[in-house]
Amino acid sequence: MFCCPLFPSRETVSPPLYRHFPLIPEKRNDIVAFVNSRSGSQNGLQLLEQLRSIIGEKNTYDLSSFSLDLCDFSWTPKRLVIAGGDGTTGWVLSLLQGTPWMLIPIAPIPLGTGNELSRCLGWGETLSQTLSHEYITQLLTSFVSSREINIDRWSCTFKSLKSAQRRSLELDSYGSMLKTSKEVTKDMLCFFSIGYLDSEIALKFHCMREDYPELAASRSFNKLLHLGFGVQNLLMPNIAVSRILSLEIDGKEIVLPEKIMTVQVFNIHSSGDGVDFFGLNDWSTEKDLLQDYEQPSMSDGLLEIVGTEGIIHFLQARASAQHSRRLGQGKTVRIVFQEDDLSIPVQLDGEPWPVNGPCEITISHKDRLTAVVGPGPCRGL
């Protein structure tokens, strides 16, 4: 049991220096790549063209026009490269569920705003601005030669507690409408949060980007927009989620502290653009309900659950001055949103949407994937 695991709580990650080996022609079939060409301003399109020129068009898929029928599962590459944000990674893996390629180690290329998985695995928070042929070739070669680790994947089930007649449509994280079913299950690889803080900020940004996509063309400007929504959150009254949520961890009820504005559940310890809300390098304080815990790892079959009190507490965690209040660690998390005819923001792997109450959210272990580790600073392996 640990109170202060010796892991860094926050790093400033620059694009790592990759090994200088050429990707020889006969090794091109070692890699299959999926690219969200709409991510990263123009970088998505540039990367798509570079990958097509290096590993071939048949090995490179543009997710803006992707269909599973396009995949040739008769051959098995060594690496599954996914270029986009954390939501893109989860989406691609969900699409490939049940196919032979699910057994291939994944290698993330950071094109989103947060890029938390890429950051934790040591591949950096962003790509080089040049995207030269040499740079991408070195990156791909490093993917093939890097060591592999396991990552837990989780099922996040949303169950409406309304009657069928009163059940309303829920907005999916990609803008489409879910069917009016009583239960919906989504995959979680990185983190989940619910409440009126980080989830609400992410939802406001998502809605703005849908209405005005030209404003979200720059990753740096996207960060400024998130900051602006955070300031707006500071100036507006919010609801403490302790009044409307109940939490269970491994069947044990957890009494939420009164000032908690959001509940966050972590498989990897990076969200909100690299923030370690759990505080991997911090000692437990008297405010933490969780005092003794297993050393967090993305492959230990355990989740860490924390609560953040407000935007000031959020900014303190971002500055590594404090960590969020540790609520528990366990294999199964159950959250009940008790309010009728009220919605609450949630986000899963960085993709936000509103959930209507009353509903029950259950997070449990699904399976384990394989990923490759980069040469840069890692977190929580």
Side-chain angles (χ1 to χ4, degrees):
M1 305 292 286
F2 293 83
C3 287
C4 182
L6 299 178
F7 276 89
S9 61
R10 175 138 164 75
E11 312 93 352
T12 301
V13 186
S14 301
L17 297 175
Y18 302 108
R19 305 167 190 174
H20 292 265
F21 298 120
L23 192 70
I24 56 179
E26 57 267 28
K27 294 296 184 181
R28 290 183 177 181
N29 280 346
D30 285 348
I31 295 173
V32 61
F34 294 85
V35 182
N36 187 346
S37 59
R38 296 175 181 173
S39 290
S41 185
Q42 296 301 312
N43 282 351
L45 288 172
Q46 294 177 28
L47 178 63
L48 180 67
E49 294 306 313
Q50 287 283 20
L51 288 171
R52 284 173 171 170
S53 69
I54 297 171
I55 63 175
E57 190 162 347
K58 75 179 184 68
N59 293 354
T60 309
Y61 298 93
D62 182 358
L63 292 173
S64 66
S65 58
F66 176 71
S67 168
L68 201 60
D69 297 335
L70 299 174
C71 296
D72 179 10
F73 297 115
S74 63
W75 66 288
T76 304
K78 292 183 178 178
R79 295 291 185 264
L80 184 70
V81 174
I82 304 176
D86 298 308
T88 298
T89 301
W91 181 49
V92 170
L93 293 173
S94 296
L95 291 175
L96 295 177
Q97 183 68 38
T99 73
W101 287 358
M102 275 300 296
L103 303 177
I104 304 170
I106 60 174
I109 294 182
L111 280 183
T113 301
N115 304 313
E116 313 298 349
L117 181 62
S118 175
R119 190 191 308 258
C120 287
L121 288 174
W123 296 109
E125 67 182 48
T126 186
L127 281 176
S128 166
Q129 293 299 311
T130 60
L131 290 184
S132 66
H133 187 278
E134 180 185 12
Y135 174 83
I136 300 302
T137 300
Q138 292 169 4
L139 175 58
L140 295 176
T141 306
S142 198
F143 282 156
V144 174
S145 60
S146 294
R147 70 182 178 96
E148 303 172 6
I149 64 162
N150 292 323
I151 303 180
D152 293 317
R153 187 166 60 150
W154 304 80
S155 292
C156 190
T157 300
F158 300 82
K159 181 180 179 181
S160 174
L161 301 180
K162 286 185 177 181
S163 63
Q165 292 79 10
R166 301 183 60 211
R167 200 173 303 135
S168 58
L169 294 169
E170 305 291 346
L171 182 64
D172 183 81
S173 55
Y174 287 91
S176 61
M177 301 302 285
L178 295 173
K179 296 179 180 179
T180 53
S181 59
K182 186 173 179 64
E183 191 170 294
V184 176
T185 298
K186 302 170 79 72
D187 293 335
M188 185 191 97
L189 194 60
C190 302
F191 61 89
F192 170 81
S193 69
I194 179 170
Y196 300 98
L197 194 54
D198 57 328
S199 302
E200 186 171 45
I201 293 171
L203 181 59
K204 288 178 178 178
F205 174 78
H206 172 79
C207 293
M208 184 280 303
R209 182 172 56 185
E210 291 294 304
D211 293 337
Y212 307 100
E214 66 277 5
L215 295 180
S218 163
R219 185 172 183 268
S220 298
F221 191 62
N222 290 349
K223 291 185 177 183
L224 289 176
L225 289 172
H226 278 84
L227 177 61
F229 288 130
V231 173
Q232 185 184 63
N233 183 283
L234 176 64
L235 301 176
M236 296 177 62
N238 286 305
I239 304 171
V241 297
S242 57
R243 302 176 185 175
I244 57 176
L245 297 181
S246 62
L247 171 67
E248 289 182 7
I249 301 175
D250 289 345
K252 179 182 178 182
E253 183 176 358
I254 306 297
V255 179
L256 292 173
E258 290 184 4
K259 297 181 180 180
I260 294 297
M261 305 298 296
T262 186
V263 173
Q264 300 152 291
V265 182
F266 293 107
N267 182 44
I268 70 170
H269 285 278
S270 181
S271 69
D273 193 27
V275 181
D276 173 18
F277 287 98
F278 185 81
L280 291 174
N281 198 41
D282 298 343
W283 293 101
S284 296
T285 71
E286 60 182 11
K287 290 186 175 182
D288 292 320
L289 302 184
L290 178 68
Q291 293 291 323
D292 297 322
Y293 53 89
E294 297 295 329
Q295 180 174 308
S297 164
M298 61 179 68
S299 61
D300 59 4
L302 296 172
L303 295 165
E304 286 71 49
I305 303 90
V306 305
T308 305
E309 294 184 352
I311 192 65
I312 299 300
H313 195 193
F314 179 91
L315 294 175
Q316 289 174 331
R318 172 173 287 279
S320 300
Q322 282 193 40
H323 58 260
S324 296
R325 297 187 66 171
R326 296 170 180 158
L327 303 178
Q329 183 185 56
K331 299 178 180 179
T332 304
V333 177
R334 179 176 176 265
I335 300 170
V336 177
F337 177 37
Q338 304 155 344
E339 293 296 303
D340 196 0
D341 298 323
L342 182 68
S343 67
I344 188 169
V346 303
Q347 67 167 332
L348 191 152
D349 290 353
E351 301 295 332
W353 72 96
V355 167
N356 293 333
C359 73
E360 176 186 87
I361 303 163
T362 304
I363 305 175
S364 57
H365 195 267
K366 178 176 181 175
D367 56 19
R368 187 167 287 171
L369 308 174
T370 308
V372 292
V373 179
C378 300
R379 186 188 295 177
L381 298 187

